[in-house]
Amino acid sequence: MAVDFDEAKSIADKIGYPIMIRPSFVLGGRGMEVIYDEATLREYVDKAVGVTPDRPLLIDRFLKNALECEADALADSTHVYIPAVMEHVELAGIHSGDSACVIPPVSIPADNLKTIKEYTKKIAENLHVCGLMNMQYAIEDGKVYVIEANPRASRTVPLVSKVCDTQMARLATRMMLGESLESLGLKDKVIPYHGVKEAVLPWARFPGVDPILGPEMRSTGEVLGLSESFPLAFYKAQEAASSELPHAPEAWENKKVLISLSNKESTKEQVLLIGRTLSELGFTLIATKGTADFYNTNGIACQTINKIGAGRPDVADLIMTKEVKLVINTPKAKRNYHEDRKTIRKLCLKYKVSYITTLAGALAAVKGIEEVTKVGKGGVKSLQEYHAMIR
């Protein structure tokens, strides 16, 4: 905890950058930010309002490249039942309300899954929770960290209820009225399909705002996509959130994807997978010089386009004329990333071109596009048909 810059600097020097900083007593990650250097820390502290010894700034080590996940639980003060663990698509650092998540998880190792369930049960039992509880976790280098324990209902309760056919609000109410968990006869379930939650973001209603995800929550709703495969469930969720991903490129006159990626070397394998998959599906890759050279050097054909203001046609022209169907545009980690990237995102918003701002989201989107291009969206099943598949 810190109340001024000197205290904040001392803490940051001790635990190492990047750090996560936020005011005390906030909801929805309000005012929360990831700080990468001393200059940005000073700027944040100077702007912080109402900081006193009773209301300090909270500073934590930021978990880099950590997989975030959460678990909702039902408890009767003594025993605990966990219907499902949810895996976030975006890495830790994006607010849980703004990130996509999938039930059941698709990449959490079995030992980590076991740890998450054990921690959830122990914490709920020791807090004597009666009713609902939500736990949030991050996994960094194979180690599970507890982010927070919320002894209350979470926004994920309706999603878990629908996907798992477990009416959590009704069951929690019955336990709060005195019924035991044992008397309800709940059993662990095997879910043979996937439900993907995607956040609905109100960017279009706030002209001039940079539409980028971060630790401060901005979503105003959420949708659910269901399918027997994770990629297709993700694709459906994007469609429901009015951010439809392209597919079947042979059916279009133009089939171009604009890619602008930061930190390409540190995430080389993933960046190459995105480009290679899109190229093999028949998309034409277009990028500014740095990203285009990276792809071409690694054997993936990519056309070069001018940066904004560096000669016509440029990136802005492609978006305004809707020559591209999708923009993948990841910002640099530091706050002072290039202004061009902000402009690209704002133009996508204005001209209704689908865009993605995280590498994890881009990977999931590309898998979804690949699935739909190869096998189609499939038929529509009712919720009851999905529930009948549960074992």
Side-chain angles (χ1 to χ4, degrees):
M1 294 182 287
V3 295
D4 57 33
F5 172 72
D6 290 335
E7 282 189 10
K9 180 182 180 300
S10 175
I11 293 167
D13 289 342
K14 182 180 176 182
I15 64 176
Y17 293 97
I19 58 169
M20 180 77 83
I21 189 168
R22 67 184 176 96
S24 317
F25 311 111
V26 295
L27 290 172
R30 184 72 180 158
M32 189 182 287
E33 202 166 307
V34 181
I35 302 290
Y36 290 85
D37 52 49
E38 187 179 314
T40 316
L41 177 62
R42 182 182 291 278
E43 186 182 335
Y44 182 96
V45 175
D46 287 347
K47 288 181 178 179
V49 177
V51 178
T52 68
D54 293 329
R55 299 174 67 87
L57 294 168
L58 305 182
I59 301 172
D60 295 284
R61 180 173 78 84
F62 178 64
L63 299 171
K64 290 178 281 189
N65 298 319
L67 178 67
E68 191 167 344
C69 41
E70 54 188 298
D72 280 337
L74 288 160
D76 63 1
S77 299
T78 308
H79 299 100
V80 184
Y81 174 73
I82 305 165
V85 173
M86 292 158 275
E87 177 184 333
H88 288 206
V89 172
E90 287 80 11
L91 298 179
I94 306 299
H95 194 281
S96 60
D98 286 357
S99 63
C101 76
V102 55
I103 308 169
V106 292
S107 62
I108 302 175
D111 59 330
N112 290 158
L113 214 50
K114 184 181 177 184
T115 301
I116 287 166
K117 290 178 179 178
E118 285 176 358
Y119 285 4
T120 303
K121 286 182 178 179
K122 286 180 179 179
I123 290 169
E125 287 166 2
N126 281 276
L127 291 176
H128 303 293
V129 172
C130 184
L132 288 159
M133 185 179 84
N134 171 266
M135 291 287 306
Q136 294 188 11
Y137 298 94
I139 303 169
E140 183 192 53
D141 297 329
K143 185 175 181 179
V144 176
Y145 292 84
V146 176
I147 298 177
E148 59 186 35
N150 298 304
R152 54 162 173 77
S154 167
R155 73 181 75 80
T156 50
V157 163
L159 301 163
V160 175
S161 297
K162 282 186 171 64
V163 175
C164 301
D165 191 22
T166 301
Q167 306 312 311
M168 294 186 71
R170 180 187 295 274
L171 293 166
T173 303
R174 287 171 65 179
M175 283 186 279
M176 291 165 76
L177 290 171
E179 291 188 52
S180 70
L181 189 58
E182 192 176 19
S183 70
L184 296 172
L186 298 174
K187 296 177 182 177
D188 288 340
K189 298 177 178 180
V190 177
I191 314 293
Y193 52 85
H194 289 91
V196 172
K197 176 214 92 172
E198 182 56 282
V200 177
L201 294 148
W203 306 127
R205 306 194 189 284
F206 297 94
V209 170
D210 184 10
I212 189 167
L213 301 177
E216 186 171 289
M217 181 176 162
R218 295 175 174 187
S219 63
T220 51
E222 50 200 9
V223 294
L224 179 67
L226 287 169
S227 176
E228 286 166 54
S229 75
F230 163 63
L232 189 49
F234 184 85
Y235 188 99
K236 287 181 176 181
Q238 298 306 308
E239 193 172 39
S242 300
S243 183
E244 187 174 1
L245 297 170
H247 68 280
E250 66 278 359
W252 310 330
E253 268 184 50
N254 70 65
K255 45 189 177 184
K256 298 172 183 173
V257 176
L258 176 65
I259 304 182
S260 176
L261 300 168
S262 61
N263 304 322
K264 291 178 284 295
E265 290 298 339
S266 61
T267 53
K268 183 175 180 177
E269 192 177 320
Q270 295 165 310
V271 170
L272 290 177
L273 178 61
I274 289 168
R276 190 178 299 113
T277 305
L278 288 171
S279 185
E280 287 172 355
L281 291 173
F283 291 88
T284 299
L285 304 186
I286 301 177
T288 50
K289 192 174 187 310
T291 302
D293 287 349
F294 177 84
Y295 275 131
N296 288 319
T297 301
N298 285 280
I300 299 168
C302 185
Q303 296 178 9
T304 305
I305 186 73
N306 291 319
K307 290 184 177 182
I308 295 173
R312 311 299 288 272
D314 61 15
V315 168
D317 294 323
L318 282 183
I319 297 169
M320 288 189 287
T321 56
K322 294 194 176 182
E323 278 190 57
V324 287
K325 289 286 182 179
L326 176 67
V327 173
I328 299 172
N329 168 235
T330 62
K332 289 184 179 175
K334 294 180 187 291
R335 184 194 281 188
N336 58 345
Y337 49 81
H338 204 282
E339 196 66 30
D340 271 8
R341 295 174 185 267
K342 282 187 185 181
T343 307
I344 288 170
R345 291 188 289 272
K346 290 176 184 178
L347 284 170
C348 288
L349 210 60
K350 183 175 180 180
Y351 292 96
K352 295 181 172 58
V353 174
S354 294
Y355 65 95
I356 300 165
T357 61
T358 67
L359 194 61
L363 283 165
V366 166
K367 287 176 185 174
I369 293 167
E370 183 179 33
E371 180 104 348
V372 174
T373 302
K374 288 181 176 178
V375 302
K377 295 183 187 179
V380 175
K381 280 192 177 81
S382 68
L383 204 54
Q384 289 82 354
E385 286 175 292
Y386 278 113
H387 289 168
M389 297 162 65
I390 296 173
R391 300 192 303 278

